[in-house]
Amino acid sequence: MKTQKPAAVLCAFALSFGLFGCSGGDGPDAAQDPASTQAVQAESGADAGTPDASPADAEPAEQEEPAGQEPAADEPKPAQDEEPANETPDGQDEAASVEPAGEPAEPAKPAEQEEGREMDRFYLHVNGQTLPVAAEGNSSSDALIALLAEGDVAVDAHDYGSFEKVGSLPQSLPTNDEQITTEPGDVILYQGNQITVYYGTNSWSLTRLGKVEGASAEELKQILGDGNVEIRLSLE
């Protein structure tokens, strides 16, 4: 009997896709044998390999959540740490940490009142008497006061012209010469390094340093005396 295996395989494939009917090897009008058809389909399944799994057997794909979607309402959100308001880092209230304003600072003392001294005057100490002198307020008297701020200055004075006592300073001072007529009590700078105390009058180009206060011409002449005398200048 002649084998018809290849034709049976083709017939099984045709039947599975519903293309056409299949007959035996005697021709297209031959009747199909059901038993042989099942055997051919089984054999063709073995030859063709394992068929693809049906859609019912495949596992459904997991659904992905769309991007940016908020978590469900029942999922608790992590609590955020918030610092309490109106508190300093150490936990103290800001209002409590503000220090009260201190007392206002004392105003700076003017230059004229340094260490309790009146810088607009100086003093002559002669024969046990103290004579206050009001400073002229020019650069010459300022320089003399600055010199006396470093310490007292002693001047060996002598009479000149029967109207003044004159002596040398330890250093020269700036001059502000002008033509003046002196009066008793005038304290004069002469040639930048000579200091004179007038008890009479004289006209010359001189620099006035100040004027003795509270003494008349007679009183001043009596205090200065005759001859040489030491005059000590100080700020007190």
Side-chain angles (χ1 to χ4, degrees):
M1 181 175 180
K2 188 177 179 179
T3 304
Q4 299 178 352
K5 185 175 180 179
V9 172
L10 293 176
C11 182
F13 274 108
L15 287 173
S16 63
F17 288 97
L19 298 176
F20 52 82
C22 215
S23 63
D26 296 335
D29 295 333
Q32 182 179 355
D33 186 3
S36 64
T37 301
Q38 292 179 358
V40 170
Q41 289 178 350
E43 187 175 0
S44 65
D47 293 338
T50 304
D52 294 336
S54 62
D57 296 336
E59 294 182 359
E62 295 183 359
Q63 295 182 354
E64 296 182 358
E65 295 182 359
Q69 183 176 357
E70 295 290 335
D74 57 349
E75 295 183 2
K77 294 183 179 181
Q80 297 181 356
D81 296 334
E82 296 184 357
E83 295 184 359
N86 298 328
E87 288 191 2
T88 54
D90 56 359
Q92 297 180 352
D93 189 81
E94 288 184 357
S97 63
V98 176
E99 297 181 358
E103 296 181 358
E106 296 182 359
K109 296 181 179 180
E112 293 81 3
Q113 297 180 355
E114 182 181 359
E115 297 181 359
R117 298 172 178 172
E118 296 180 359
M119 304 301 289
D120 59 348
R121 67 184 59 246
F122 57 94
Y123 298 87
L124 304 179
H125 304 274
V126 185
N127 293 324
Q129 301 292 320
T130 299
L131 303 173
V133 179
E136 184 67 16
N138 54 26
S139 61
S140 304
S141 63
D142 291 345
L144 176 61
I145 290 173
L147 177 62
L148 297 179
E150 300 175 1
D152 296 354
V153 173
V155 176
D156 293 327
H158 60 275
D159 287 300
Y160 178 82
S162 299
F163 51 75
E164 67 181 4
K165 294 283 189 182
V166 59
S168 298
L169 291 170
Q171 69 182 53
S172 295
L173 303 178
T175 61
N176 289 276
D177 290 345
E178 56 181 343
Q179 188 69 31
I180 60 175
T181 298
T182 65
E183 297 178 352
D186 282 343
V187 180
I188 299 297
L189 179 67
Y190 175 64
Q191 294 185 343
N193 62 351
Q194 304 287 316
I195 189 167
T196 65
V197 181
Y198 277 83
Y199 54 86
T201 60
N202 184 34
S203 294
W204 202 260
S205 180
L206 304 167
T207 295
R208 185 178 278 115
L209 295 174
K211 190 173 184 66
V212 175
E213 297 178 322
S216 65
E218 291 297 328
E219 291 173 341
L220 185 58
K221 187 174 182 180
Q222 185 178 356
I223 293 172
L224 292 174
D226 295 330
N228 296 344
V229 66
E230 181 183 86
I231 303 175
R232 182 168 60 86
L233 293 81
S234 72
L235 293 181
E236 55 186 9

